[in-house]
Amino acid sequence: MSLALNDLLICCRQLEHDRATERRKEVEKFKQLIRDPETVQHLDRHSDSKQGKYLNWDAVFRFLQKYIQKETECLKTARPNVSASTQATRQKKMQEISSLVKYFIKCANKSNTAVHCLCQPGPLIFKTRRSFEIRTAS
């Protein structure tokens, strides 16, 4: 595995970290890595080869889905009766999550590879937003 892919794999695993501050740090690193030409080239090559043992676009998307689920769960389990500023902060967090997914899709679509996992990002974003709205409405 190349150094670039190894860095991306470590970053993806850190997106599953229990501490929110660690996940937040890794999001910026994640954005940098998925726009890096060397990383993109390796992801494209491994996505084309259909070999499951290497990191490819589909695997990275699965890590991203786990991150979204973890963040959504944290927001859902948070106290519902909070100040307006806390509500605004939570809303901003949901927007950041959505923009991260959109950014990933944008980067993946620039590649020459057909990314199979990206056929359903809309419902994923909708479900994430909807579950947050249900929680904050309570």
PDB file of all heavy atoms in Angstrom, residues 3-30:
ATOM      1  N   LEU A   3       2.111   5.136   0.605  1.00  0.00           N
ATOM      2  CA  LEU A   3       2.101   5.987   1.796  1.00  0.00           C
ATOM      3  C   LEU A   3       0.851   6.871   1.833  1.00  0.00           C
ATOM      4  O   LEU A   3       0.244   7.064   2.886  1.00  0.00           O
ATOM      5  CB  LEU A   3       3.369   6.848   1.830  1.00  0.00           C
ATOM      6  CG  LEU A   3       3.567   7.708   3.060  1.00  0.00           C
ATOM      7  CD1 LEU A   3       3.627   6.843   4.317  1.00  0.00           C
ATOM      8  CD2 LEU A   3       4.844   8.516   2.940  1.00  0.00           C
ATOM      9  N   ALA A   4       0.442   7.370   0.665  1.00  0.00           N
ATOM     10  CA  ALA A   4      -0.744   8.225   0.588  1.00  0.00           C
ATOM     11  C   ALA A   4      -1.996   7.463   1.016  1.00  0.00           C
ATOM     12  O   ALA A   4      -2.818   7.970   1.785  1.00  0.00           O
ATOM     13  CB  ALA A   4      -0.917   8.763  -0.832  1.00  0.00           C
ATOM     14  N   LEU A   5      -2.128   6.227   0.529  1.00  0.00           N
ATOM     15  CA  LEU A   5      -3.296   5.429   0.913  1.00  0.00           C
ATOM     16  C   LEU A   5      -3.235   5.021   2.373  1.00  0.00           C
ATOM     17  O   LEU A   5      -4.269   4.943   3.045  1.00  0.00           O
ATOM     18  CB  LEU A   5      -3.416   4.177   0.034  1.00  0.00           C
ATOM     19  CG  LEU A   5      -4.026   4.365  -1.343  1.00  0.00           C
ATOM     20  CD1 LEU A   5      -4.210   3.035  -2.031  1.00  0.00           C
ATOM     21  CD2 LEU A   5      -5.333   5.108  -1.277  1.00  0.00           C
ATOM     22  N   ASN A   6      -2.049   4.765   2.853  1.00  0.00           N
ATOM     23  CA  ASN A   6      -1.892   4.415   4.263  1.00  0.00           C
ATOM     24  C   ASN A   6      -2.326   5.590   5.146  1.00  0.00           C
ATOM     25  O   ASN A   6      -3.033   5.396   6.146  1.00  0.00           O
ATOM     26  CB  ASN A   6      -0.451   4.008   4.562  1.00  0.00           C
ATOM     27  CG  ASN A   6      -0.303   3.435   5.946  1.00  0.00           C
ATOM     28  OD1 ASN A   6      -1.057   2.555   6.345  1.00  0.00           O
ATOM     29  ND2 ASN A   6       0.670   3.937   6.689  1.00  0.00           N
ATOM     30  N   ASP A   7      -1.926   6.798   4.770  1.00  0.00           N
ATOM     31  CA  ASP A   7      -2.353   7.992   5.512  1.00  0.00           C
ATOM     32  C   ASP A   7      -3.870   8.142   5.485  1.00  0.00           C
ATOM     33  O   ASP A   7      -4.487   8.469   6.502  1.00  0.00           O
ATOM     34  CB  ASP A   7      -1.715   9.253   4.926  1.00  0.00           C
ATOM     35  CG  ASP A   7      -0.232   9.356   5.228  1.00  0.00           C
ATOM     36  OD1 ASP A   7       0.253   8.609   6.101  1.00  0.00           O
ATOM     37  OD2 ASP A   7       0.437  10.189   4.572  1.00  0.00           O
ATOM     38  N   LEU A   8      -4.462   7.885   4.321  1.00  0.00           N
ATOM     39  CA  LEU A   8      -5.916   7.996   4.197  1.00  0.00           C
ATOM     40  C   LEU A   8      -6.610   6.927   5.047  1.00  0.00           C
ATOM     41  O   LEU A   8      -7.612   7.208   5.710  1.00  0.00           O
ATOM     42  CB  LEU A   8      -6.350   7.871   2.738  1.00  0.00           C
ATOM     43  CG  LEU A   8      -7.846   8.010   2.477  1.00  0.00           C
ATOM     44  CD1 LEU A   8      -8.376   9.358   2.963  1.00  0.00           C
ATOM     45  CD2 LEU A   8      -8.150   7.817   1.002  1.00  0.00           C
ATOM     46  N   LEU A   9      -6.077   5.727   5.056  1.00  0.00           N
ATOM     47  CA  LEU A   9      -6.663   4.659   5.869  1.00  0.00           C
ATOM     48  C   LEU A   9      -6.610   5.004   7.355  1.00  0.00           C
ATOM     49  O   LEU A   9      -7.600   4.850   8.076  1.00  0.00           O
ATOM     50  CB  LEU A   9      -5.945   3.332   5.612  1.00  0.00           C
ATOM     51  CG  LEU A   9      -6.450   2.129   6.409  1.00  0.00           C
ATOM     52  CD1 LEU A   9      -7.906   1.844   6.093  1.00  0.00           C
ATOM     53  CD2 LEU A   9      -5.580   0.918   6.123  1.00  0.00           C
ATOM     54  N   ILE A  10      -5.484   5.512   7.801  1.00  0.00           N
ATOM     55  CA  ILE A  10      -5.358   5.929   9.207  1.00  0.00           C
ATOM     56  C   ILE A  10      -6.349   7.037   9.513  1.00  0.00           C
ATOM     57  O   ILE A  10      -7.025   7.026  10.541  1.00  0.00           O
ATOM     58  CB  ILE A  10      -3.906   6.365   9.515  1.00  0.00           C
ATOM     59  CG1 ILE A  10      -2.973   5.150   9.465  1.00  0.00           C
ATOM     60  CG2 ILE A  10      -3.826   7.061  10.863  1.00  0.00           C
ATOM     61  CD1 ILE A  10      -1.503   5.494   9.473  1.00  0.00           C
ATOM     62  N   CYS A  11      -6.455   7.990   8.612  1.00  0.00           N
ATOM     63  CA  CYS A  11      -7.397   9.104   8.783  1.00  0.00           C
ATOM     64  C   CYS A  11      -8.834   8.589   8.849  1.00  0.00           C
ATOM     65  O   CYS A  11      -9.615   9.006   9.715  1.00  0.00           O
ATOM     66  CB  CYS A  11      -7.233  10.087   7.630  1.00  0.00           C
ATOM     67  SG  CYS A  11      -8.338  11.486   7.714  1.00  0.00           S
ATOM     68  N   CYS A  12      -9.182   7.671   7.956  1.00  0.00           N
ATOM     69  CA  CYS A  12     -10.537   7.117   7.950  1.00  0.00           C
ATOM     70  C   CYS A  12     -10.842   6.392   9.252  1.00  0.00           C
ATOM     71  O   CYS A  12     -11.945   6.495   9.789  1.00  0.00           O
ATOM     72  CB  CYS A  12     -10.708   6.160   6.770  1.00  0.00           C
ATOM     73  SG  CYS A  12     -10.855   6.985   5.181  1.00  0.00           S
ATOM     74  N   ARG A  13      -9.882   5.683   9.759  1.00  0.00           N
ATOM     75  CA  ARG A  13     -10.089   4.980  11.037  1.00  0.00           C
ATOM     76  C   ARG A  13     -10.232   5.964  12.190  1.00  0.00           C
ATOM     77  O   ARG A  13     -10.974   5.714  13.134  1.00  0.00           O
ATOM     78  CB  ARG A  13      -8.945   4.008  11.292  1.00  0.00           C
ATOM     79  CG  ARG A  13      -9.032   2.798  10.379  1.00  0.00           C
ATOM     80  CD  ARG A  13      -8.015   1.764  10.714  1.00  0.00           C
ATOM     81  NE  ARG A  13      -8.197   0.594   9.867  1.00  0.00           N
ATOM     82  CZ  ARG A  13      -7.219  -0.202   9.509  1.00  0.00           C
ATOM     83  NH1 ARG A  13      -5.985   0.008   9.931  1.00  0.00           N
ATOM     84  NH2 ARG A  13      -7.460  -1.245   8.743  1.00  0.00           N
ATOM     85  N   GLN A  14      -9.538   7.089  12.103  1.00  0.00           N
ATOM     86  CA  GLN A  14      -9.653   8.109  13.152  1.00  0.00           C
ATOM     87  C   GLN A  14     -11.010   8.815  13.108  1.00  0.00           C
ATOM     88  O   GLN A  14     -11.445   9.377  14.110  1.00  0.00           O
ATOM     89  CB  GLN A  14      -8.523   9.136  13.038  1.00  0.00           C
ATOM     90  CG  GLN A  14      -7.166   8.598  13.426  1.00  0.00           C
ATOM     91  CD  GLN A  14      -7.124   8.190  14.888  1.00  0.00           C
ATOM     92  OE1 GLN A  14      -7.641   8.871  15.760  1.00  0.00           O
ATOM     93  NE2 GLN A  14      -6.505   7.048  15.150  1.00  0.00           N
ATOM     94  N   LEU A  15     -11.680   8.779  11.956  1.00  0.00           N
ATOM     95  CA  LEU A  15     -13.016   9.352  11.868  1.00  0.00           C
ATOM     96  C   LEU A  15     -14.009   8.591  12.744  1.00  0.00           C
ATOM     97  O   LEU A  15     -15.078   9.103  13.056  1.00  0.00           O
ATOM     98  CB  LEU A  15     -13.514   9.354  10.418  1.00  0.00           C
ATOM     99  CG  LEU A  15     -12.890  10.369   9.479  1.00  0.00           C
ATOM    100  CD1 LEU A  15     -13.386  10.164   8.064  1.00  0.00           C
ATOM    101  CD2 LEU A  15     -13.141  11.788   9.939  1.00  0.00           C
ATOM    102  N   GLU A  16     -13.639   7.381  13.136  1.00  0.00           N
ATOM    103  CA  GLU A  16     -14.501   6.566  14.003  1.00  0.00           C
ATOM    104  C   GLU A  16     -14.142   6.726  15.478  1.00  0.00           C
ATOM    105  O   GLU A  16     -14.708   6.043  16.332  1.00  0.00           O
ATOM    106  CB  GLU A  16     -14.376   5.097  13.610  1.00  0.00           C
ATOM    107  CG  GLU A  16     -14.843   4.809  12.201  1.00  0.00           C
ATOM    108  CD  GLU A  16     -14.583   3.384  11.780  1.00  0.00           C
ATOM    109  OE1 GLU A  16     -13.749   2.708  12.416  1.00  0.00           O
ATOM    110  OE2 GLU A  16     -15.221   2.938  10.824  1.00  0.00           O
ATOM    111  N   HIS A  17     -13.234   7.622  15.778  1.00  0.00           N
ATOM    112  CA  HIS A  17     -12.761   7.813  17.153  1.00  0.00           C
ATOM    113  C   HIS A  17     -13.924   8.224  18.065  1.00  0.00           C
ATOM    114  O   HIS A  17     -14.887   8.840  17.629  1.00  0.00           O
ATOM    115  CB  HIS A  17     -11.686   8.906  17.175  1.00  0.00           C
ATOM    116  CG  HIS A  17     -10.793   8.852  18.359  1.00  0.00           C
ATOM    117  ND1 HIS A  17     -11.147   9.356  19.573  1.00  0.00           N
ATOM    118  CD2 HIS A  17      -9.551   8.333  18.510  1.00  0.00           C
ATOM    119  CE1 HIS A  17     -10.163   9.168  20.434  1.00  0.00           C
ATOM    120  NE2 HIS A  17      -9.184   8.547  19.805  1.00  0.00           N
ATOM    121  N   ASP A  18     -13.839   7.884  19.333  1.00  0.00           N
ATOM    122  CA  ASP A  18     -14.892   8.218  20.288  1.00  0.00           C
ATOM    123  C   ASP A  18     -14.929   9.703  20.648  1.00  0.00           C
ATOM    124  O   ASP A  18     -15.987  10.241  20.956  1.00  0.00           O
ATOM    125  CB  ASP A  18     -14.734   7.394  21.573  1.00  0.00           C
ATOM    126  CG  ASP A  18     -15.102   5.941  21.355  1.00  0.00           C
ATOM    127  OD1 ASP A  18     -15.878   5.655  20.426  1.00  0.00           O
ATOM    128  OD2 ASP A  18     -14.608   5.089  22.111  1.00  0.00           O
ATOM    129  N   ARG A  19     -13.787  10.352  20.593  1.00  0.00           N
ATOM    130  CA  ARG A  19     -13.729  11.771  20.962  1.00  0.00           C
ATOM    131  C   ARG A  19     -14.060  12.654  19.764  1.00  0.00           C
ATOM    132  O   ARG A  19     -13.462  12.535  18.699  1.00  0.00           O
ATOM    133  CB  ARG A  19     -12.346  12.124  21.490  1.00  0.00           C
ATOM    134  CG  ARG A  19     -12.047  11.404  22.802  1.00  0.00           C
ATOM    135  CD  ARG A  19     -10.770  11.841  23.384  1.00  0.00           C
ATOM    136  NE  ARG A  19     -10.803  13.283  23.616  1.00  0.00           N
ATOM    137  CZ  ARG A  19      -9.752  13.990  23.972  1.00  0.00           C
ATOM    138  NH1 ARG A  19      -8.597  13.392  24.131  1.00  0.00           N
ATOM    139  NH2 ARG A  19      -9.845  15.282  24.169  1.00  0.00           N
ATOM    140  N   ALA A  20     -14.996  13.557  19.972  1.00  0.00           N
ATOM    141  CA  ALA A  20     -15.440  14.450  18.899  1.00  0.00           C
ATOM    142  C   ALA A  20     -14.317  15.355  18.408  1.00  0.00           C
ATOM    143  O   ALA A  20     -14.224  15.642  17.216  1.00  0.00           O
ATOM    144  CB  ALA A  20     -16.619  15.290  19.371  1.00  0.00           C
ATOM    145  N   THR A  21     -13.443  15.801  19.302  1.00  0.00           N
ATOM    146  CA  THR A  21     -12.350  16.684  18.883  1.00  0.00           C
ATOM    147  C   THR A  21     -11.392  15.956  17.943  1.00  0.00           C
ATOM    148  O   THR A  21     -10.896  16.552  16.987  1.00  0.00           O
ATOM    149  CB  THR A  21     -11.563  17.219  20.091  1.00  0.00           C
ATOM    150  OG1 THR A  21     -11.153  16.123  20.910  1.00  0.00           O
ATOM    151  CG2 THR A  21     -12.391  18.184  20.905  1.00  0.00           C
ATOM    152  N   GLU A  22     -11.161  14.684  18.200  1.00  0.00           N
ATOM    153  CA  GLU A  22     -10.286  13.894  17.321  1.00  0.00           C
ATOM    154  C   GLU A  22     -10.928  13.725  15.945  1.00  0.00           C
ATOM    155  O   GLU A  22     -10.252  13.836  14.920  1.00  0.00           O
ATOM    156  CB  GLU A  22      -9.989  12.518  17.933  1.00  0.00           C
ATOM    157  CG  GLU A  22      -9.190  12.572  19.207  1.00  0.00           C
ATOM    158  CD  GLU A  22      -7.807  13.174  19.009  1.00  0.00           C
ATOM    159  OE1 GLU A  22      -7.165  12.899  17.986  1.00  0.00           O
ATOM    160  OE2 GLU A  22      -7.379  13.933  19.895  1.00  0.00           O
ATOM    161  N   ARG A  23     -12.221  13.469  15.931  1.00  0.00           N
ATOM    162  CA  ARG A  23     -12.921  13.320  14.650  1.00  0.00           C
ATOM    163  C   ARG A  23     -12.888  14.631  13.873  1.00  0.00           C
ATOM    164  O   ARG A  23     -12.672  14.637  12.664  1.00  0.00           O
ATOM    165  CB  ARG A  23     -14.376  12.890  14.878  1.00  0.00           C
ATOM    166  CG  ARG A  23     -14.514  11.478  15.385  1.00  0.00           C
ATOM    167  CD  ARG A  23     -15.949  10.981  15.306  1.00  0.00           C
ATOM    168  NE  ARG A  23     -16.915  11.812  15.989  1.00  0.00           N
ATOM    169  CZ  ARG A  23     -17.310  11.658  17.246  1.00  0.00           C
ATOM    170  NH1 ARG A  23     -16.798  10.694  17.977  1.00  0.00           N
ATOM    171  NH2 ARG A  23     -18.231  12.451  17.766  1.00  0.00           N
ATOM    172  N   ARG A  24     -13.068  15.756  14.568  1.00  0.00           N
ATOM    173  CA  ARG A  24     -13.072  17.066  13.922  1.00  0.00           C
ATOM    174  C   ARG A  24     -11.721  17.349  13.269  1.00  0.00           C
ATOM    175  O   ARG A  24     -11.654  17.868  12.148  1.00  0.00           O
ATOM    176  CB  ARG A  24     -13.410  18.151  14.942  1.00  0.00           C
ATOM    177  CG  ARG A  24     -13.806  19.452  14.326  1.00  0.00           C
ATOM    178  CD  ARG A  24     -14.291  20.478  15.328  1.00  0.00           C
ATOM    179  NE  ARG A  24     -15.253  19.949  16.285  1.00  0.00           N
ATOM    180  CZ  ARG A  24     -15.074  19.940  17.615  1.00  0.00           C
ATOM    181  NH1 ARG A  24     -14.007  20.467  18.149  1.00  0.00           N
ATOM    182  NH2 ARG A  24     -15.985  19.437  18.415  1.00  0.00           N
ATOM    183  N   LYS A  25     -10.635  17.012  13.959  1.00  0.00           N
ATOM    184  CA  LYS A  25      -9.295  17.205  13.391  1.00  0.00           C
ATOM    185  C   LYS A  25      -9.114  16.367  12.131  1.00  0.00           C
ATOM    186  O   LYS A  25      -8.528  16.821  11.149  1.00  0.00           O
ATOM    187  CB  LYS A  25      -8.222  16.786  14.401  1.00  0.00           C
ATOM    188  CG  LYS A  25      -8.052  17.712  15.568  1.00  0.00           C
ATOM    189  CD  LYS A  25      -6.988  17.151  16.486  1.00  0.00           C
ATOM    190  CE  LYS A  25      -7.003  17.803  17.847  1.00  0.00           C
ATOM    191  NZ  LYS A  25      -6.075  17.170  18.779  1.00  0.00           N
ATOM    192  N   GLU A  26      -9.623  15.152  12.178  1.00  0.00           N
ATOM    193  CA  GLU A  26      -9.437  14.244  11.052  1.00  0.00           C
ATOM    194  C   GLU A  26     -10.253  14.632   9.823  1.00  0.00           C
ATOM    195  O   GLU A  26      -9.881  14.290   8.710  1.00  0.00           O
ATOM    196  CB  GLU A  26      -9.764  12.806  11.465  1.00  0.00           C
ATOM    197  CG  GLU A  26      -8.796  12.229  12.477  1.00  0.00           C
ATOM    198  CD  GLU A  26      -7.345  12.236  12.023  1.00  0.00           C
ATOM    199  OE1 GLU A  26      -7.069  11.893  10.861  1.00  0.00           O
ATOM    200  OE2 GLU A  26      -6.477  12.597  12.845  1.00  0.00           O
ATOM    201  N   VAL A  27     -11.341  15.359  10.022  1.00  0.00           N
ATOM    202  CA  VAL A  27     -12.153  15.781   8.882  1.00  0.00           C
ATOM    203  C   VAL A  27     -11.338  16.682   7.954  1.00  0.00           C
ATOM    204  O   VAL A  27     -11.367  16.513   6.728  1.00  0.00           O
ATOM    205  CB  VAL A  27     -13.450  16.479   9.349  1.00  0.00           C
ATOM    206  CG1 VAL A  27     -14.128  17.215   8.208  1.00  0.00           C
ATOM    207  CG2 VAL A  27     -14.397  15.465   9.960  1.00  0.00           C
ATOM    208  N   GLU A  28     -10.601  17.618   8.518  1.00  0.00           N
ATOM    209  CA  GLU A  28      -9.773  18.508   7.693  1.00  0.00           C
ATOM    210  C   GLU A  28      -8.676  17.721   6.973  1.00  0.00           C
ATOM    211  O   GLU A  28      -8.411  17.952   5.794  1.00  0.00           O
ATOM    212  CB  GLU A  28      -9.163  19.623   8.540  1.00  0.00           C
ATOM    213  CG  GLU A  28     -10.173  20.644   9.001  1.00  0.00           C
ATOM    214  CD  GLU A  28     -10.980  21.231   7.862  1.00  0.00           C
ATOM    215  OE1 GLU A  28     -10.396  21.602   6.820  1.00  0.00           O
ATOM    216  OE2 GLU A  28     -12.215  21.312   8.005  1.00  0.00           O
ATOM    217  N   LYS A  29      -8.072  16.811   7.678  1.00  0.00           N
ATOM    218  CA  LYS A  29      -7.042  15.962   7.073  1.00  0.00           C
ATOM    219  C   LYS A  29      -7.655  15.102   5.962  1.00  0.00           C
ATOM    220  O   LYS A  29      -7.065  14.937   4.894  1.00  0.00           O
ATOM    221  CB  LYS A  29      -6.422  15.074   8.155  1.00  0.00           C
ATOM    222  CG  LYS A  29      -5.190  14.352   7.746  1.00  0.00           C
ATOM    223  CD  LYS A  29      -4.595  13.660   8.966  1.00  0.00           C
ATOM    224  CE  LYS A  29      -3.387  12.856   8.609  1.00  0.00           C
ATOM    225  NZ  LYS A  29      -2.855  12.136   9.771  1.00  0.00           N
ATOM    226  N   PHE A  30      -8.853  14.597   6.202  1.00  0.00           N
ATOM    227  CA  PHE A  30      -9.574  13.784   5.229  1.00  0.00           C
ATOM    228  C   PHE A  30      -9.793  14.573   3.939  1.00  0.00           C
ATOM    229  O   PHE A  30      -9.553  14.073   2.837  1.00  0.00           O
ATOM    230  CB  PHE A  30     -10.902  13.327   5.831  1.00  0.00           C
ATOM    231  CG  PHE A  30     -11.768  12.511   4.919  1.00  0.00           C
ATOM    232  CD1 PHE A  30     -11.535  11.159   4.742  1.00  0.00           C
ATOM    233  CD2 PHE A  30     -12.837  13.090   4.245  1.00  0.00           C
ATOM    234  CE1 PHE A  30     -12.339  10.401   3.916  1.00  0.00           C
ATOM    235  CE2 PHE A  30     -13.642  12.344   3.421  1.00  0.00           C
ATOM    236  CZ  PHE A  30     -13.400  10.992   3.248  1.00  0.00           C
TER     237      PHE A  30
END
